Amino acid sequence: MKALIDNFGKTSERAFLIGAQFRSHSAWEIKDSLEELAQLATTAGATIVGDGFQKLDSPHAGTFIGKGKAEDFAEQCKIDEVDTVIFDEELSPGQARNLERIFGCKILDRTSLILDIFAQRAQTREGKLQVELAQLKYLFPRLTRFWTHLSRQKGGIGMRGGDGESQLEVDRRKVSERIQKLTEELEQVRRQRLIQRSGRK
């Protein structure tokens, strides 16, 4: 799991926040939402170096915000040496890939940030299993953004699969197997908890 998610907390990452103001949202609503996102990112261990938003009628299919606006933000992020860009809305896998190409750094959305915080704070075995399972289910359709193996403890390029098997296929297989194993482990933990509860009664 650690090979697929670069958790905050190990090092302080320089983060830039991006929001979208749709017609149904007022200026103060987007401001409040970005402030809340900043608090979440700070909780996760990031240092906020800036933020911005764009007025939109609807999300752009390829990049969520307009491509030109994304390129403007990307230039600003390069100047500020930003490590991570966090969007206030959930991104599709395709949008995240396109944005990573434009920004040249890690792209997160609000959902992945919240999952990261849960992962840091989970204490019980059941809680940790639930968080990892949620993370894997969230990441599964986004695996084309990641090129590392579950078996590695740090980020970086993983070893290639065997003949005729692409890295993406390897990762999908490993994640599917891990999801199945976690589901079984979680069910076992829940059964044990029920047995213990019945014993106490």
Side-chain angles (χ1 to χ4, degrees):
M1 188 64 204
K2 293 179 182 179
L4 290 177
I5 299 179
D6 294 322
N7 284 335
F8 285 122
K10 295 179 182 178
T11 58
S12 181
E13 299 188 32
R14 295 171 61 82
F16 186 88
L17 313 180
I18 297 177
Q21 182 182 344
F22 299 106
R23 287 183 179 275
S24 58
H25 297 161
S26 63
W28 65 265
E29 284 178 314
I30 184 63
K31 181 181 177 182
D32 286 349
S33 189
L34 283 174
E35 286 179 357
E36 181 182 70
L37 187 66
Q39 291 173 359
L40 290 169
T42 300
T43 298
T47 299
I48 309 303
V49 299
D51 63 51
F53 69 93
Q54 183 181 27
K55 293 182 178 180
L56 294 171
D57 291 327
S58 61
H60 289 250
T63 51
F64 192 82
I65 58 174
K67 185 177 179 182
K69 192 68 172 178
E71 291 171 347
D72 289 343
F73 283 145
E75 287 299 319
Q76 185 176 342
C77 288
K78 288 176 183 176
I79 294 171
D80 294 335
E81 298 181 340
V82 168
D83 303 303
T84 305
V85 175
I86 307 174
F87 278 74
D88 197 26
E89 306 281 344
E90 184 165 338
L91 302 172
S92 71
Q95 288 169 340
R97 287 194 299 272
N98 294 334
L99 288 165
E100 282 181 346
R101 283 194 287 267
I102 294 172
F103 282 87
C105 67
K106 183 166 58 180
I107 302 293
L108 298 177
D109 58 18
R110 180 180 276 259
T111 302
S112 55
L113 176 62
I114 291 172
L115 284 172
D116 185 88
I117 294 171
F118 285 156
Q120 290 184 34
R121 299 194 171 192
Q123 298 295 322
T124 65
R125 174 166 172 73
E126 184 176 3
K128 291 176 181 179
L129 288 172
Q130 287 174 329
V131 169
E132 186 178 353
L133 185 60
Q135 287 176 321
L136 285 171
K137 286 182 176 179
Y138 175 79
L139 283 171
F140 190 76
R142 296 165 170 80
L143 279 176
T144 51
R145 295 170 52 201
F146 299 92
W147 298 99
T148 53
H149 279 284
L150 292 173
S151 59
R152 294 176 63 90
Q153 295 301 307
K154 295 182 180 179
I157 304 299
M159 294 178 64
R160 293 291 173 181
D163 292 340
E165 186 174 29
S166 71
Q167 181 63 45
L168 180 57
E169 289 169 340
V170 171
D171 285 345
R172 279 180 172 158
R173 176 170 50 80
K174 285 182 176 290
V175 170
S176 293
E177 291 171 355
R178 183 62 178 162
I179 286 174
Q180 182 177 353
K181 183 178 179 182
L182 284 170
T183 301
E184 293 171 354
E185 288 184 17
L186 191 56
E187 183 59 31
Q188 183 178 0
V189 168
R190 286 170 175 166
R191 283 199 303 267
Q192 290 173 346
R193 179 159 48 82
L194 288 173
I195 292 171
Q196 291 169 354
R197 184 180 299 167
S198 297
R200 286 195 297 269
K201 288 181 180 179

